[in-house]
Amino acid sequence: MSDPLPGLVRHAADRAAAAGFPHSCDPAVGRLLAVLAARVPPGGRILEIGTGAGVGTAWLASGLLPRRDATVTTIEADPGLAALAAGAGWPGFVGLRAGDALALLPTLGGFDLIFADAPAGKQERLDLTLAALNLCGTLVVDDMAEYPGSIWPADFRARQDAVRRALLTHPGLVAAELAHGSGVILAARRTHG
């Protein structure tokens, strides 16, 4: 028997399935996101890069409910997916931005929790994502492990390995690789150094 999904997540997962979107946030990663969102301080800010159909967004928002004293900003580059996610009836503390994350990141300010779930801001210009991470902020990067039976193309594997090395060796971060869900690197910005 599987654990019941929070309402927002169930609706987002149904929306993703109806649209034929196969790349939604893994439930194990989603539950981790909800826990981390619940720990964001009052007035805190959460960023998701790569909205997709909104399943990760729903996990983040579910972690904040019933409190509404923090915000979730999510960015989606694909206009069709952005429109799909925008029609979801999100709580007022969730804001969707359609556009290029690399162009938007420098304009958004700092965040206490960032979920990097798209090539932009993860495989491309990770430095912009790290610059948006507040002191003591937490970064979650998923899809860091090949799924059973899948074989990553060599160029994709090389980009993922570069992200892994950058996060695990960055002097301003404390990071751990977790064999959890789709493979997660969890990192926190140091308060010094």
Side-chain angles (χ1 to χ4, degrees):
M1 183 173 117
S2 64
D3 294 327
L5 298 176
L8 283 174
V9 176
R10 188 177 61 256
H11 293 306
D14 290 347
R15 195 169 49 253
F21 182 72
H23 304 292
S24 291
C25 181
D26 179 275
V29 175
R31 292 191 186 282
L32 175 64
L33 291 175
V35 168
L36 294 171
R39 299 299 305 152
V40 169
R45 300 180 72 218
I46 299 170
L47 174 66
E48 176 187 35
I49 305 169
T51 312
V55 175
T57 311
W59 280 110
L60 291 164
S62 294
L64 289 174
L65 291 173
R67 58 181 272 214
R68 296 171 178 266
D69 59 355
T71 60
V72 177
T73 300
T74 183
I75 303 170
E76 178 53 54
D78 180 288
L81 289 173
L84 176 67
W90 297 102
F93 60 83
V94 175
L96 281 75
R97 303 286 300 264
D100 178 5
L102 301 183
L104 290 170
L105 269 168
T107 70
L108 297 175
F111 293 88
D112 302 294
L113 173 60
I114 298 177
F115 176 36
D117 192 27
K122 178 167 51 175
Q123 293 180 349
E124 305 162 29
R125 299 298 312 267
L126 179 62
D127 62 309
L128 293 177
T129 300
L130 295 178
L133 189 62
N134 288 340
L135 287 180
C136 298
T138 302
L139 172 65
V140 179
V141 178
D142 74 340
D143 301 327
M144 296 303 296
E146 290 182 65
Y147 290 96
S150 70
I151 299 174
W152 285 349
D155 61 331
F156 184 81
R157 181 179 293 111
R159 289 193 304 272
Q160 290 294 81
D161 287 345
V163 171
R164 178 179 291 105
R165 279 191 309 278
L167 293 173
L168 295 176
T169 63
H170 193 288
L173 299 174
V174 177
E177 190 166 11
L178 309 177
H180 184 77
S182 62
V184 173
I185 293 181
L186 185 62
R189 181 172 291 289
R190 295 179 189 270
T191 58
H192 53 45

